[in-house]
Amino acid sequence: MSRKKEETQGLKHNKKDFSEWYNELVQKAGLAEYAPVAGCMVIKPYGYAMWENIQAWFDMKIKATGHKNAYFPLFIPERFLKKEAKHFEGFMPEVAWVVEETEKGKERFALRPTSETIIYDSYSRWIRSWRDLPLLLNQWCNIVRWEQTATRLFLRTREFLWQEGHTAHTTEKEAEKEARMILDMYKELLETQLAIPVLAGEKTSKERFAGALRTYTLEALMPDGRALQMGTTHNLGQNFSKPFNIKFLDRDEKNRYVWQTSWGFSTRLIGALVMVHGDDKGLVLPPKLAPIQIVIIPIFTNKTRKQVLKEALKLKKELEKFLVELDDRKYTPGWKFNEWEMKGVPLRIEIGPKDIKKKQAVLVRRDNGIKKTIKQSKLEREVSKQLDDIQKSLLTKAKKFLTGSTVDAKNLAGLEKAINNKKMARTGWCGSQECEDSIQDKTAATIRLIPFKEKPKGKCMVCGSRAKHVVYVAKQY
Amino acid sequence: MSRKKEETQGLKHNKKDFSEWYNELVQKAGLAEYAPVAGCMVIKPYGYAMWENIQAWFDMKIKATGHKNAYFPLFIPERFLKKEAKHFEGFMPEVAWVVEETEKGKERFALRPTSETIIYDSYSRWIRSWRDLPLLLNQWCNIVRWEQTATRLFLRTREFLWQEGHTAHTTEKEAEKEARMILDMYKELLETQLAIPVLAGEKTSKERFAGALRTYTLEALMPDGRALQMGTTHNLGQNFSKPFNIKFLDRDEKNRYVWQTSWGFSTRLIGALVMVHGDDKGLVLPPKLAPIQIVIIPIFTNKTRKQVLKEALKLKKELEKFLVELDDRKYTPGWKFNEWEMKGVPLRIEIGPKDIKKKQAVLVRRDNGIKKTIKQSKLEREVSKQLDDIQKSLLTKAKKFLTGSTVDAKNLAGLEKAINNKKMARTGWCGSQECEDSIQDKTAATIRLIPFKEKPKGKCMVCGSRAKHVVYVAKQY
């Protein structure tokens, strides 16, 4: 079988031309496209199916830990946003407004850039006693941030989809535990489902969520050396419960303000999936999130068509516990190979007259291109094994990249070199805002996180005084 | 056991005070509340869980028939809405706008009141050949209609949730088949899951969806004699494919405009569920949609507490294939009975020391209050049987109401009498807009639908000429 690459197919850009490659791939693989409204995107069925898979996994996990879904309004009164000053400042520049003119005058409503304020207004009515706590809610919804910067599909759009969890607790300790538990859940989602390894840690106060006491983050490294924030959880302390007056009557009959968390990840994860695993031929999807896990391509001539299709259909039925598709369209096998490689389907099964005679089929892995001829009687077992192996291999490969792309930097010169070489730098930081600002001024990179378990040794890379923290520094998306 | 009705619990209004009863119940049962933004609602976890159950059922059904989900932008350029004149007129009064000021001037974006235009703009790029058809997409999203009329939770709010299906086909016949198939699917959802019987038929041209060729509808009758539109499907013909230029190259190498359908139902269904089945004590939920199907109430004194709770927990485990909850809070049994009756949980199981001794439990049905003492060994089977029976009984009861509330009217006087008596009228109509307008002028009721299978006999109730159609007339929500 020849694999003729047709002119109209395939990617014009190689992954080396990273930004162009990404834009072309997201569209050619049918994940998303630019909408006619500047800054917005259309999530196409193939991209949306991945979001549904991510949703299903996470929804099951949060429900198993006592969280419930609800739905709060898209519209937020301006006065709510203003109640927490830092929060308002943080989101103000990118808020889209709907203006209503009534007899009382004009009123502005923000399209939710995030829902802390509108949700906590409800919480102030719902929470009365310690018996109402913990209150563990989540919502799946659209979010609007009217940014002026260039659009990148899945990564930066004026509207995107996400989940946002909002919890209220009787104690600070419990809120802290929740923020960390959800971060662990995010990590599990990313590593076991998306096959994307992440660094876990805390944000500096400069990079913290507007209004949070502490922000925890998971950062993944993209092939262009930039870090992508994959999900964050916030210990909000009482920063919102005080202005929103969310009090509960405690067991000792005293009124106290609740302790809160919020947390979210978005459709941006699909962008990460494309960047981390994709190659010059297209997407490479981890089997656990792939909308189609196996594609069967029948190889036939006019003469053998009927027989081969019959056999291919039989194979499809045998594999129906997987997400399997039979491509019986009237295109050449080569054209189909290209198409399904572009779409990143983990396994391809080829079957032709020779294979039928020998009761076999040819199995081809998308991630490494390895071909294997398998007896049909062993196909189901082999497919299952290969899918598991692909899932693991993708994570291993991405881990290797992450480790190999992280270098130690001892000073600003070393940091600059690392950033210029498209690496992430591990280094020491004294904890001062001045030194943090210097990093950004000199390198356009920022402190992405302070890792949880690494103890600082050595000096601050900027001022040379004793390092208080280990930090990871990279350019960001 | 005494059933002490405590002052703070229960509904102030009886179902006879229908409108007040509805508003009170929706809030007291924890389904939804008014948001701080006028005209909007918060869907609380208990209400949202029912929406999730509706979603799960319907999503499974449409996927099994080849439909896929996608996501299109919230923002619609004004010029798109204007492309189909009737469509624009229909929605114009209730559109909320976001205004962007750029160098080129002001641009207005509508917050989607429905998504035909933004979706068909994509379709014009996606569809090239008959091979791309049928295109069968759906989206679950929020919708904004900035109405000035009074808010009613679930029934009339400025933002609500829905699904909207949008399909494109090669022939008119295929589009027609799709519109009718989805209507059947809606009917199945309503009757088998929500236990709400509906009348199925076509809308008059006056009541038709703005831009549709034909609109099909399912109408349910509420206890106050008003009809509620439960779901509609539209055969759009080529009314959108022409202005949006959605053409395909047919098998004969000719370019043709596609034939389209769109269809939707919304969170309004939850309002219908409340109205149709609820009673003076609260909600009555059909088991197939109930977030909690069974609640176990342990009956104990301080002395017997430990033993009873242990046994109750055992029961819970035995019933874990159902959605079962054990209420072990420190309230009186009477308080708990009221609470769970308000929430409409289909079955209550009471267990106390006497029951434990006799290896039995008491089963109480929410829909009819009937108590039954059951051997614990037979509990699972009995519960299963009772849940099935409740599901069926609710539908039967609602069907009886629908039949009993539909009367034949021969002329306008008869129609007025029927409407005043809170009935729906079945009558004859000549098909003229004048007579249709007269009905509304005289009775404030409208033709809700032209049923599919009923053949007209007799005369138009208004003008007395030969009836072209049987029609059902009622006031509407």
Side-chain angles (χ1 to χ4, degrees), chain B residues 255-283:
Chain B
N255 271 302
R256 295 198 167 86
Y257 290 107
V258 299
W259 299 88
Q260 293 184 268
T261 82
S262 69
W263 27 275
F265 67 74
S266 75
T267 36
R268 162 178 272 206
L269 294 190
I270 296 168
L273 205 63
V274 173
M275 292 195 279
V276 169
H277 303 304
D279 65 20
D280 290 348
K281 290 180 185 168
L283 300 177

Side-chain angles (χ1 to χ4, degrees), chain B residues 152-169:
Chain B
R152 301 207 66 190
L153 295 168
F154 292 116
L155 302 175
R156 192 170 291 276
T157 52
R158 285 177 168 174
E159 185 196 13
F160 56 86
L161 304 180
W162 83 355
Q163 64 66 220
E164 51 180 321
H166 294 274
T167 69
H169 307 265

Side-chain angles (χ1 to χ4, degrees), chain B residues 102-258:
Chain B
T102 63
E103 289 161 13
K104 290 183 210 157
K106 274 190 189 180
E107 198 179 351
R108 295 211 296 176
F109 301 107
L111 302 187
R112 61 179 162 227
T114 182
S115 302
E116 276 74 9
T117 58
I118 187 92
I119 293 182
Y120 303 160
D121 171 67
S122 282
Y123 281 15
S124 72
R125 287 184 302 276
W126 297 354
I127 295 169
R128 287 281 163 264
S129 138
W130 61 270
R131 286 189 183 82
D132 302 322
L133 298 171
L135 182 58
L136 308 172
L137 299 189
N138 177 69
Q139 80 174 351
W140 296 96
C141 67
N142 54 343
I143 283 292
V144 176
R145 296 185 185 168
W146 206 260
E147 308 191 62
Q148 300 303 332
T149 42
T151 311
R152 301 207 66 190
L153 295 168
F154 292 116
L155 302 175
R156 192 170 291 276
T157 52
R158 285 177 168 174
E159 185 196 13
F160 56 86
L161 304 180
W162 83 355
Q163 64 66 220
E164 51 180 321
H166 294 274
T167 69
H169 307 265
T170 52
T171 63
E172 183 175 14
K173 201 176 152 189
E174 212 187 288
E176 178 67 18
K177 204 177 146 192
E178 168 85 6
R180 292 294 295 270
M181 181 195 77
I182 296 292
L183 197 77
D184 287 345
M185 216 181 260
Y186 284 172
K187 195 163 192 278
E188 190 185 344
L189 168 69
L190 295 169
E191 299 195 338
T192 69
Q193 307 295 303
L194 283 81
I196 298 180
V198 285
L199 296 171
E202 192 179 336
K203 286 284 187 197
T204 65
S205 60
K206 190 183 174 186
E207 300 282 329
R208 192 182 286 155
F209 174 71
L213 210 61
R214 281 189 287 283
T215 288
Y216 300 117
T217 184
L218 300 171
E219 305 274 329
L221 194 64
M222 298 299 112
D224 62 350
R226 287 172 188 243
L228 186 69
Q229 184 175 298
M230 304 291 279
T232 50
T233 73
H234 315 293
N235 181 333
L236 301 174
Q238 296 177 320
N239 288 351
F240 286 88
S241 64
K242 284 178 179 170
F244 282 88
N245 200 28
I246 316 175
K247 283 184 194 168
F248 69 101
L249 191 67
D250 210 341
R251 284 179 172 85
D252 60 6
E253 299 289 315
K254 282 189 182 146
N255 271 302
R256 295 198 167 86
Y257 290 107
V258 299

Side-chain angles (χ1 to χ4, degrees), chain A residues 33-38 40-45 48-49 52 59 63 68-77 79-80 96-100 109 111-112 118 121-122 125-126 131 137 140 142 144 146 148 158-159 161 330-331, chain B residues 33-38 40-45 48-49 52 59 63 68-77 79-80 96-100 109 111-112 118 121-122 125-126 131 137 140 142 144 146 148 158-159 161 330-331:
Chain A
E33 67 173 23
Y34 291 100
V37 178
C40 290
M41 69 173 160
V42 174
I43 306 180
K44 297 176 81 171
Y48 197 82
E52 289 182 305
D59 207 67
K63 282 179 178 158
K68 285 175 179 167
N69 288 326
Y71 188 79
F72 294 85
L74 170 66
F75 302 102
I76 302 179
R79 68 180 191 281
F80 281 18
W97 302 94
V98 166
V99 180
E100 183 174 33
F109 300 107
L111 301 187
R112 61 181 162 226
I118 188 92
D121 171 67
S122 281
R125 287 185 302 274
W126 297 354
R131 286 188 183 86
L137 298 190
W140 297 95
N142 55 343
V144 176
W146 206 260
Q148 300 303 331
R158 285 178 169 174
E159 186 194 11
L161 304 181
K330 288 182 178 171
Y331 298 120
Chain B
E33 67 174 22
Y34 290 100
V37 178
C40 290
M41 69 172 161
V42 175
I43 306 180
K44 298 177 81 171
Y48 197 81
E52 289 182 305
D59 207 67
K63 282 179 178 158
K68 287 177 179 166
N69 288 325
Y71 188 78
F72 294 84
L74 170 65
F75 302 103
I76 301 179
R79 67 181 190 281
F80 281 18
W97 302 94
V98 166
V99 180
E100 183 174 33
F109 301 107
L111 302 187
R112 61 179 162 227
I118 187 92
D121 171 67
S122 282
R125 287 184 302 276
W126 297 354
R131 286 189 183 82
L137 299 189
W140 296 96
N142 54 343
V144 176
W146 206 260
Q148 300 303 332
R158 285 177 168 174
E159 185 196 13
L161 304 180
K330 288 180 178 172
Y331 298 119

Side-chain angles (χ1 to χ4, degrees), chain B residues 323-355:
Chain B
L323 298 168
V324 57
E325 208 146 290
L326 167 60
D327 187 351
D328 57 3
R329 293 174 301 171
K330 288 180 178 172
Y331 298 119
T332 65
W335 192 95
K336 291 179 185 176
F337 294 170
N338 288 345
E339 162 121 335
W340 295 110
E341 281 171 359
M342 179 73 78
K343 286 194 167 279
V345 173
L347 278 180
R348 178 172 87 218
I349 295 176
E350 304 169 7
I351 182 160
K354 258 194 254 168
D355 301 309

Side-chain angles (χ1 to χ4, degrees), chain B residues 294-346:
Chain B
I294 308 159
V295 63
I296 301 172
I297 313 277
I299 317 284
F300 51 75
T301 57
N302 278 339
K303 223 169 133 186
T304 56
R305 186 169 180 274
K306 215 174 147 183
Q307 181 209 12
V308 173
L309 279 182
K310 193 181 146 196
E311 209 64 27
L313 204 63
K314 226 178 77 188
L315 280 193
K316 189 188 170 192
K317 273 185 192 152
E318 281 168 18
L319 298 174
E320 71 187 354
K321 75 169 192 176
F322 306 100
L323 298 168
V324 57
E325 208 146 290
L326 167 60
D327 187 351
D328 57 3
R329 293 174 301 171
K330 288 180 178 172
Y331 298 119
T332 65
W335 192 95
K336 291 179 185 176
F337 294 170
N338 288 345
E339 162 121 335
W340 295 110
E341 281 171 359
M342 179 73 78
K343 286 194 167 279
V345 173

